Amino acid sequence: MGKVVILGVFVADTAYRADRMPRMGETILGNSFALGPGGKGSNQAVACAKIGAQTHMISKLGQDDFAKLALDTWAAAEVTPHVDHIADSYTGAAYIFVEESSGDNAIIIAPGAAALIGEADIEARADLIAGADVFVTQLEQPMPAALRALQIARDAGVMTILNPAPAAELPEGMLALCDYVTPNETECEALTGITVENAEDAARAAEALRALGVGTPIITMGAQGAYLHGHGLVPAVNAGPVVETTGAGDAFNGGFAAALAEGLSALEAVTLGCATAGLSVTRPGTAPAMPDRAEVDALLRR
């Protein structure tokens, strides 16, 4: 198994399903509620570990029930945590609205203690990052921490993946530290100014990302699949009716990182990532929806 180190955020997902989003000032009745583990970094770590990588998670938590949920989630997936517990803060939480008919979602995240992750925390775990086969981060924790971690990984010759989500303005030179960048269509437009609706748009956006220093851009495109620079569109893998799209991008990134750490090619890793995402959207929740390697391999053999 390859070793993957992930810097990111855990949040407790509070998911509400309803026929539609309420208007401002309006109250409507929902169809269901669920509480479960989430956060991009945590979801990616769970997906990565279930695909088979030796996975390590760097984050911060409060000292509360949601922190216990985080640790229990990681233990069940065999993710090794490297976390500080902050007594005077709280473990992150997220409000997730899911539209019943489509499975589409809208999300508000309050990262809590994870918003306190700083460069000193990254320096304290420099050896862990430098010893990885693959390092992954996103943009839910403070930008200076993500930037410093990418610098440490790059200096050590570790393969680097940035999932630039949620969309944000990046420091100059950050993209040049990335072997792979994995935005979705919205995040890609924020980085390049190019609207991505099809493979031709994705090709132009990928070239723009290359001009910004990215090694290999990968643009995730939902039901269309993922555009891999140098190859083209890798089709989505249909695993059944869509129940919920929350966490699909995290499933892709986790599966993709695990496959790269295992030594698979970029094309093989993107294909495996698409299958991981394809299975995840057929199930409710985020971390609980992440499939294991046997399920993904079985889907790809169909």
Side-chain angles (χ1 to χ4, degrees):
M1 295 189 298
K3 180 178 179 181
V4 179
V5 174
I6 297 177
L7 167 65
V9 169
F10 172 89
V11 297
D13 283 345
T14 62
Y16 304 79
R17 301 182 74 93
D19 293 335
R20 63 175 177 83
M21 176 77 79
R23 293 183 293 272
M24 190 63 65
E26 179 187 26
T27 299
I28 65 173
L29 288 176
N31 298 331
S32 66
F33 168 80
L35 171 66
K40 290 186 179 299
S42 179
N43 290 341
Q44 291 171 18
V46 170
C48 186
K50 292 187 75 172
I51 292 301
Q54 179 190 347
T55 307
H56 299 257
M57 177 75 187
I58 300 173
S59 194
K60 285 192 176 185
L61 304 171
Q63 292 183 341
D64 47 34
D65 289 343
F66 285 172
K68 182 179 185 302
L69 176 62
L71 296 174
D72 289 347
T73 298
W74 295 336
E78 299 185 356
V79 173
T80 302
H82 303 264
V83 302
D84 297 318
H85 293 267
I86 310 301
D88 58 354
S89 187
Y90 60 91
T91 301
Y95 157 83
I96 301 173
F97 166 78
V98 181
E99 185 178 61
E100 193 74 68
S101 61
S102 67
D104 290 339
N105 62 78
I107 303 172
I108 300 172
I109 295 173
L116 303 175
I117 299 172
E119 292 175 89
D121 302 300
I122 302 305
E123 296 291 352
R125 293 173 173 85
D127 289 346
L128 175 67
I129 295 168
D133 295 302
V134 175
F135 171 76
V136 184
T137 193
Q138 324 76 31
L139 302 177
E140 287 183 335
Q141 72 286 313
M143 191 74 72
L147 178 61
R148 183 66 190 122
L150 286 167
Q151 290 169 337
I152 290 170
R154 172 53 61 91
D155 289 346
V158 176
M159 192 177 299
T160 53
I161 302 172
L162 173 63
N163 176 220
E169 185 175 348
L170 301 182
E172 185 175 352
M174 188 172 187
L175 290 175
L177 297 171
C178 304
D179 291 304
Y180 296 94
V181 172
T182 59
N184 65 17
E185 302 101 313
T186 302
E187 294 147 4
C188 188
E189 183 173 1
L191 291 172
T192 67
I194 297 171
T195 300
V196 176
E197 296 181 350
N198 51 47
E200 291 74 22
D201 297 335
R204 292 190 298 113
E207 288 296 340
L209 288 169
R210 281 280 296 163
L212 292 170
V214 176
T216 304
I218 298 168
I219 302 167
T220 59
M221 301 174 64
Q224 294 186 67
Y227 184 90
L228 170 63
H229 181 267
H231 171 79
L233 185 65
V234 179
V237 180
N238 185 359
V242 173
V243 173
E244 185 174 333
T245 60
T246 309
D250 300 329
F252 173 86
N253 279 279
F256 175 67
L260 287 180
E262 186 179 309
L264 299 186
S265 69
L267 177 57
E268 291 169 327
V270 169
T271 301
L272 191 144
C274 285
T276 305
L279 280 164
S280 76
V281 300
T282 66
R283 307 165 182 180
T286 50
M290 300 304 175
D292 62 31
R293 183 59 174 271
E295 294 175 296
V296 172
D297 286 347
L299 177 61
L300 289 173
R301 285 196 298 268
R302 284 186 189 176

